Amino acid sequence: MNKLFFISLVALVGVASFSGCRKKKDTIAKITIKDDANAVVEGATVVLYGTPSGPEYQGQVVTVYDTTTTNSAGVAVFNFNEVYQLGQAGVAVLDIHAWTLTQDGTGIVKVEEETTTEETVYVN
């Protein structure tokens, strides 16, 4: 009887430990920057930032999440793995500002948990 109880207890602990832990998947935002001719823009600066909304937030400063530059494919990659926590509903809705020395553009990205979200911003 004790042997059966011990085996059952070990099995229960083993099943609970495997089913209770789930590895978090990557939460990524990829922002593609294109110009008026629909060509990708390499080396553009891309900033993701939050803008408080509502009358109670008027006058508050925007919060910059991160800044990076686009690669040769015109893509800026932002990693939200440190921001997103398992069980959290949604990650962020952020404004996008992209520019080069002669071009400028804006957009919005809604970052979804454990997925790769892709947006395109046109600069002119």
Side-chain angles (χ1 to χ4, degrees), residues 3 5 9 18 20-21 25 27 30 33 52 57 59 61-62 66 72 85 88 90 93 97 102 106 109 113 115 122-123:
K3 189 175 183 180
F5 176 76
L9 182 63
F18 283 117
C21 297
K25 296 177 186 173
T27 301
K30 290 185 177 181
I33 308 302
Y57 296 110
V61 179
V62 298
D66 202 0
S72 60
Q85 300 300 317
Q88 180 179 333
V93 177
H97 184 205
T102 60
T106 60
V109 62
E113 63 273 4
T115 62
Y122 290 90
V123 293

Side-chain angles (χ1 to χ4, degrees), residues 43-113:
T45 301
V46 181
V47 178
L48 295 184
Y49 61 95
T51 304
S53 60
E56 67 273 19
Y57 296 110
Q58 284 186 344
Q60 288 192 4
V61 179
V62 298
T63 303
V64 173
Y65 168 71
D66 202 0
T67 303
T68 191
T69 56
T70 56
N71 59 22
S72 60
V75 178
V77 179
F78 297 90
N79 186 319
F80 287 84
N81 288 342
E82 295 298 318
V83 175
Y84 171 68
Q85 300 300 317
L86 280 173
Q88 180 179 333
V91 178
V93 177
L94 298 169
D95 294 306
I96 306 165
H97 184 205
W99 70 89
T100 65
L101 290 176
T102 60
Q103 300 167 310
D104 187 61
T106 60
I108 296 176
V109 62
K110 180 180 179 186
V111 181
E112 298 288 338
E113 63 273 4

